[in-house]
Amino acid sequence: MALLLTPPVQGTIEQWRDGIALEVPGLDIRLWPEIGDPADIEYMLVGRFNLDDMPDLPNLRLMMPMFAGIDHLIAHPRMPDVPLVRTGPPDGDPAMTEYAILHVLRHHRHMPDYLAQQRRKVWNVIPQKLPRDQRVGFMGFGQMAAPPARALHGLGFDVAAWARSDRRDAGIEIFCGAARLPDFLARTDILVCLLPLTAETEGILNAETFGRLPAGASVINLGRGAHLVDADLIAALDSGHLAGATLDATHPEPLPAESPLWTHERVTIMPHTARRVRPDTVGPQVAEAIRRDRAGEPQLWSVDRR
């Protein structure tokens, strides 16, 4: 039994080897590209790895991505027909929660406008809403979105969410299904996208979506770059309908130097830095996934590829 470890998203491959070894003592950990006998490998932890280079692993039982975005794995023709098991913290990633709250508060407290005023040496106080009057809407209410949504609700914000399937939450109104999306958008002043990227959600941040938001709304994309139609965002900002946008994900990444998003006064670009993917946060889930597989128990965080 061996685990194949590919180059990580952050840190060195040796740091990840040592961190995983602490969680699964005695595990044979192979470092890509030195895989040894392919027949030994039953588990694979995937970081920065191109599936074009996927070797034939006849006894592979599980693949575990280090990151939240898995669309490029599922869509790849060389993706093995084995369970794909998530490795993020099961109760949500605290790094994502703090990051989502940070950017909601930035837009709530008009920080992009104040920074623009500072560059022009303008001293002007912008009228400020109370949290109860600020309507925050999360697109998605899964493992990444639910914790920041609930935290902002706890801070007094008027928080709602939109989900594709039927969901319930004690404190947050959830709009379910495509038919409820217009109503959700109409009540949202700060829109946070934390959807998975699928055929249905690609390009969902588009002119139609922006047009259904109230005038002066802001957009925060913490999902995937392909959720956004760049030209539609720029048009909505230039028309004044949207007040601002924060983009933690772009398409492609890195964002090309010639993209007009870089220099747009009302856009904040972040280099896909919402989460801190580290062996001490991923390792416990890797250990649990391997334990469950050896014990014949169902996986807790298996991906539904549909």
Side-chain angles (χ1 to χ4, degrees), residues 188-211:
T188 297
D189 300 312
I190 300 176
L191 180 67
V192 184
C193 179
L194 269 166
L195 291 168
L197 183 62
T198 67
E200 290 76 24
T201 65
E202 183 173 358
I204 196 169
L205 298 177
N206 56 32
E208 181 179 0
T209 295
F210 301 146

Side-chain angles (χ1 to χ4, degrees), residues 145-285:
R150 292 177 181 132
L152 287 163
H153 175 72
L155 291 173
F157 286 89
D158 182 358
V159 181
W162 176 73
R164 294 169 298 162
S165 57
D166 190 32
R167 306 228 181 157
R168 296 287 184 272
D169 188 83
I172 294 172
E173 182 179 10
I174 302 181
F175 295 73
C176 301
R180 299 298 313 280
L181 180 57
D183 294 336
F184 164 77
L185 295 171
R187 55 78 55 211
T188 297
D189 300 312
I190 300 176
L191 180 67
V192 184
C193 179
L194 269 166
L195 291 168
L197 183 62
T198 67
E200 290 76 24
T201 65
E202 183 173 358
I204 196 169
L205 298 177
N206 56 32
E208 181 179 0
T209 295
F210 301 146
R212 293 185 183 277
L213 292 169
S218 299
V219 173
I220 301 170
N221 185 18
L222 306 182
R224 306 295 285 176
H227 284 133
L228 176 67
V229 180
D230 295 2
D232 289 359
L233 174 64
I234 291 171
L237 291 167
D238 289 347
S239 72
H241 183 70
L242 293 184
T246 294
L247 309 178
D248 185 65
T250 64
H251 183 69
E253 292 182 359
L255 185 65
E258 62 272 17
S259 170
L261 292 171
W262 277 115
T263 54
H264 200 289
E265 183 179 65
R266 295 193 171 276
V267 176
T268 299
I269 299 292
M270 300 295 292
H272 208 146
T273 187
R275 296 184 64 215
R276 293 184 292 269
V277 182
R278 301 170 6 168
D280 59 335
T281 58
V282 169
Q285 284 72 252

